[in-house]
Amino acid sequence: MKHILPNAMLGMLGGGQLGRMFTIAARAMGYRVTVLDPDPESPAGGLADVHLRAAYDDPAALDELAATCAAVTTEFENVPAESLRRLAERTRVSPSADSVSIAQDRIAEKRYIAGAGLAVAPFLAIETAQDLEQDLSGHLPGILKLARLGYDGKGQIRVATVEETQAAFAQLGQKPCVLERRLNLKTEVSVIVARTGPGETTTFPVAENQHEAGILDISIVPARVAPAVAQRARDMALQLAEAMDYRGVLAVEFFVLGGDELVINEIAPRPHNSGHYTLDACINDQFEQQVRTLCGLPPGSTRLLSPVVMVNLLGDIWRDDEPAWDKLLSLPNAKLHLYGKKTARIGRKMGHFNVLGDAVDSTLAQALELKRMLQNP
């Protein structure tokens, strides 16, 4: 694959925080960036060289992106796959429309992962009310999840009986869903893969993830799992990336079950919230890898420089004024990242901070204390 070198214009579909951090990485490496996002207050658009304020399927905007950008990527999986296909007719697109399509639909995603020989939680596709007439007992208690557009715990309902499942399907608008059997989890982990092509692949250290209300709260690195479990997670993530012939940055989330069994929960064809620790704790971060893989360059080193804990900052801690950032910024080993969003809302990701230390447990304790101070000034 021909290398795309600095000073070239790169395109980004999506202008949220992931697009913003890509833009920062690309510009630091000497590239220019065009962001396509309809929001005039787009966090990425404000930093980009060019901000195209148009819908993701706007033909004129897509044609301008294709004509002016040496390569185009995306920050979220729900960008229209047809937009990626249109762009790919005239410029390099990574990841491909086919890869993104797999992650857009939980039914297709789980079937693909299982077809690649990798374990997923037992599931049933519930596409119509008639699908609820089959025997559901092997998948209850479970979680009914919208097949499309569900994220951060949205579009998911816990169910224990057939009647609850029927009511949940109606509550979700009778849209296609997956019914996934609820499993007894020891913990959850994730792996970020960076792949330019065959033989040009690497993974970041495994992150241990904790959620609140379906939203990622904390990532702990290195994950507190056995070395063999961490290696198996990396191997499974690489196996999936190879099966997809994936080009770009891919996040793979896992459930760790009793007996240290691993099953893949879901994937994201882009950098991921659980990889934000890489911004401060690795030689290259996940957004630099996104630039590298998009430009046909081999992935950089993913060596972990120190243990690290990432804590999400949600709009919940914004009250009448800005949070007490002085408490965080007074610590020499804490790194604050805010996303440039003008309006704070409950549950909205406004930023994150990383705490680096010498040992996982003491670093986690410090990060949790800092989180409590920000929540209760």
Side-chain angles (χ1 to χ4, degrees), residues 102-148:
I102 292 168
Q104 287 180 336
D105 186 293
R106 280 193 170 94
I107 297 171
E109 177 183 87
K110 290 182 179 297
R111 286 173 175 167
Y112 189 94
I113 294 169
L118 296 164
V120 297
F123 74 97
L124 288 175
I126 307 296
E127 298 179 271
T128 68
Q130 285 69 40
D131 291 327
L132 293 170
E133 296 174 2
Q134 63 187 300
D135 182 9
L136 306 180
S137 58
H139 297 80
L140 293 173
I143 305 175
L144 191 68
K145 303 178 179 180
L146 281 173
R148 299 180 71 89

Side-chain angles (χ1 to χ4, degrees), residues 276-277 280 308-310 333-335 337 352-356:
H276 288 345
Y277 75 88
D280 301 306
V308 58
V309 174
M310 188 282 300
N333 60 327
K335 302 282 285 185
H337 299 265
H352 70 272
F353 66 85
N354 290 324
V355 177
L356 291 82

Side-chain angles (χ1 to χ4, degrees), residues 217-218 309-313 317 319 323-337 352-356 362-377:
D217 183 36
I218 294 173
V309 174
M310 188 282 300
V311 178
N312 254 340
L313 295 169
I317 66 171
R319 296 179 179 87
W325 299 130
D326 55 328
K327 294 181 179 179
L328 189 152
L329 295 171
S330 65
L331 297 174
N333 60 327
K335 302 282 285 185
L336 176 64
H337 299 265
H352 70 272
F353 66 85
N354 290 324
V355 177
L356 291 82
S362 59
T363 305
L364 176 59
Q366 186 182 13
L368 291 174
E369 178 58 27
L370 186 50
K371 177 188 175 188
R372 281 191 290 270
M373 285 194 299
L374 291 172
Q375 289 175 329
N376 303 289

Side-chain angles (χ1 to χ4, degrees), residues 1 73-74 93-96 99 192-197 200-202 204 241 245-251 268-271 286 289-297 299:
M1 185 186 298
T73 188
T74 179
V93 173
S94 170
S96 69
S99 294
I192 309 292
V193 177
R195 184 178 187 273
T196 302
E200 294 183 306
T201 307
T202 191
F204 283 99
D245 192 21
Y246 190 86
R247 310 294 173 106
V249 172
L250 175 71
R270 52 170 172 78
Q286 63 174 342
Q289 302 286 44
Q290 190 179 21
V291 175
R292 283 173 166 270
T293 55
L294 177 64
C295 293
L297 299 166

Side-chain angles (χ1 to χ4, degrees), residues 55-64 86:
Y56 299 121
D57 58 357
D58 181 274
L62 292 171
D63 289 347
E64 182 175 349
R86 182 186 182 105

Side-chain angles (χ1 to χ4, degrees), residues 5 14 70 91 144 169 223 233 235 249 277-278 283 307 351 356 361 368 375:
L5 300 178
T91 192
L144 191 68
F169 187 61
D235 290 344
V249 172
Y277 75 88
T278 65
I283 291 179
L356 291 82
D361 289 342
L368 291 174
Q375 289 175 329

